[in-house]
Amino acid sequence: MTSLRLGAEKEAVEERYSRQTLFRGIGVEGQGRLGAGRVAIAGCGATGSALASLLARAGVGTLRIIDRDYVETSNLQRQSLFEENDAAESLPKAIAAARRIAAFNSQIVVEARVADAVPTNIDMLLEGMDVILDGTDNFETRYLLNDYAVKNSVPWVYAAAVGSYGVTLNVLPGKTACLSCIFPDTPRGMVETCETSGILNSAVNLVASIAATEAMKLLIGGEAAEKLRKTLWSYDVWTNRQAEIAASTPRPGCRTCGQRDFIHLAGEGRPHITMCGRNSVQIHERARPIDFAEMQRRLESHGMVRHNQFVLKFWREPYEMTLFPDGRAIIKGTTDTGIARSLYARYVGS
């Protein structure tokens, strides 16, 4: 009976990916390598959820989805793994994504990590991964990913989308330019965000499709890896303009991949981050367990409060606080870190 069951399972796998294995660039051997692959997706918003869906459907064996945020109604226009019920329940995006993937591909492993990627936990979050994909919304985290990838010789793919514009870069440590080679410093001045410039879901899906394909080439290796793009590529789906910048070799004197000075892993100059698409501040320098039932009892006299096993939400006009089990909080209604700190201290504790 066991051999019959295993035979049936093998046949089911072969049927699921039959159209993909017909493609010469992948074939049966390449599909096997995808099935053995381990990919971390840092951030599961617009780009990250599209990446997760594409790679899960392609049969990448293990996906580790890392995200600090929860689903909101405004996400549904572009974040393809989520549904209205996820927003109504304020489910963490990593949890909601894992549930959705399990519904269409139960043959792969999805590891949900509800966490903010910071220097103190980045090793634990990315350990054992073959490829790292960027689904984040800020350069602080991207530089952290770049530091980790270069230090540990793990390939990663930078990807971003805002407005009608998408951009992506493959980073092969020791071989190609890293993120710091291209952008030595965090972009300054007016930087477009989803909140200020909006975003088209078509731009998201374009850049995610390209990044996911590059990740598949990396996992398959051999002739597939020889076809990796070695440029910073950008495209505007509204104006049809595209551009490429050479990135085939590291920049001489690069602080990260040349001098191996990993300032972002060291945590230098890491600020509070205003999150994409929301008037919010995150309080992340906490590491203590929160008893949601006890916290709800304490807060009920101060405003409206509810919780599930993943998050506690507290409303006191004009602010909304979302509290996570490890004590991390997202405070909506301000971009002033002083106000956010004060609210946290008043209602959660200092």
Side-chain angles (χ1 to χ4, degrees):
M1 288 294 291
T2 300
S3 61
L4 288 174
R5 181 174 57 82
L6 291 175
E9 289 177 355
K10 182 175 183 293
E11 185 176 338
V13 171
E14 290 175 351
E15 174 61 23
R16 176 184 289 267
Y17 305 115
S18 60
R19 304 305 185 271
Q20 190 162 278
T21 55
L22 286 172
F23 176 65
R24 288 185 59 188
I26 296 179
V28 174
E29 183 177 349
Q31 189 63 50
R33 291 178 180 176
L34 292 178
R38 297 174 59 83
V39 174
I41 301 174
C44 195
T47 307
S49 63
L51 286 167
S53 179
L54 288 166
L55 294 179
R57 292 182 186 278
V60 172
T62 299
L63 295 177
R64 182 175 296 167
I65 300 175
I66 304 159
D67 195 280
R68 65 192 178 188
D69 209 355
Y70 57 92
V71 182
E72 295 184 286
T73 302
S74 63
N75 301 151
L76 302 180
Q77 165 259 349
R78 65 197 181 280
Q79 300 186 14
S80 56
L81 278 178
F82 309 132
E83 298 182 353
E84 291 179 354
N85 284 342
D86 299 326
E89 296 178 24
S90 298
L91 279 182
K93 291 181 180 179
I95 300 294
R99 290 181 177 180
R100 199 71 60 239
I101 291 170
F104 65 75
N105 193 348
S106 59
Q107 297 174 346
I108 68 169
V109 175
V110 182
E111 301 172 355
R113 299 285 189 269
V114 182
D116 185 25
V118 294
T120 54
N121 67 7
I122 195 69
D123 287 333
M124 175 186 66
L125 291 175
L126 298 180
E127 183 181 11
M129 296 293 102
D130 301 317
V131 178
I132 301 164
L133 297 183
D134 172 21
T136 69
D137 60 8
N138 64 87
F139 266 90
E140 286 80 7
T141 306
R142 289 178 176 126
Y143 282 125
L144 180 62
L145 296 178
N146 189 66
D147 271 14
Y148 176 91
V150 171
K151 181 180 179 181
N152 295 282
S153 298
V154 180
W156 79 286
V157 183
Y158 158 63
V162 66
S164 57
Y165 168 88
V167 59
T168 181
L169 168 74
N170 297 325
V171 177
L172 311 178
K175 298 178 181 178
T176 68
C178 76
L179 188 67
S180 296
C181 292
I182 307 295
F183 304 110
D185 298 299
T186 303
R188 301 187 184 279
M190 290 295 293
V191 177
E192 287 188 313
T193 67
C194 300
E195 185 171 358
T196 60
S197 300
I199 187 166
L200 294 181
N201 56 20
S202 53
V204 168
N205 283 284
L206 173 66
V207 77
S209 294
I210 292 169
T213 305
E214 297 299 289
M216 291 168 68
K217 294 176 191 176
L218 284 164
L219 292 172
I220 293 170
E223 292 183 9
E226 293 174 7
K227 299 184 185 301
L228 284 161
R229 191 191 66 259
K230 296 181 180 178
T231 63
L232 176 77
W233 179 90
S234 65
Y235 191 86
D236 190 309
V237 298
W238 200 257
T239 66
N240 300 310
R241 294 176 182 168
Q242 65 175 318
E244 287 188 89
I245 298 173
S248 59
T249 58
R251 175 176 58 82
C254 172
R255 183 170 187 170
T256 304
C257 64
Q259 301 175 17
R260 299 188 68 79
D261 184 6
F262 303 117
I263 61 172
H264 302 282
L265 278 177
E268 295 181 21
R270 188 174 179 86
H272 283 268
I273 300 170
T274 300
M275 303 178 72
C276 177
R278 280 189 285 136
N279 180 29
S280 307
V281 170
Q282 180 177 208
I283 303 293
H284 57 76
E285 66 272 19
R286 302 289 185 227
R288 61 184 186 194
I290 299 293
D291 183 327
F292 282 168
E294 172 61 19
M295 186 61 66
Q296 178 161 344
R297 186 190 65 77
R298 286 173 47 189
L299 295 176
E300 282 176 335
S301 62
H302 299 285
M304 187 168 68
V305 58
R306 65 179 174 82
H307 77 273
N308 55 33
Q309 69 185 98
F310 304 110
V311 297
L312 179 146
K313 295 188 74 84
F314 170 59
W315 291 267
R316 184 174 176 86
E317 291 295 335
Y319 307 109
E320 173 188 306
M321 179 187 296
T322 301
L323 189 63
F324 294 84
D326 61 357
R328 183 170 57 88
I330 296 171
I331 298 172
K332 187 175 182 179
T334 183
T335 56
D336 187 319
T337 57
I339 291 175
R341 287 178 185 274
S342 176
L343 289 167
Y344 188 97
R346 184 183 311 167
Y347 295 114
V348 181
S350 59

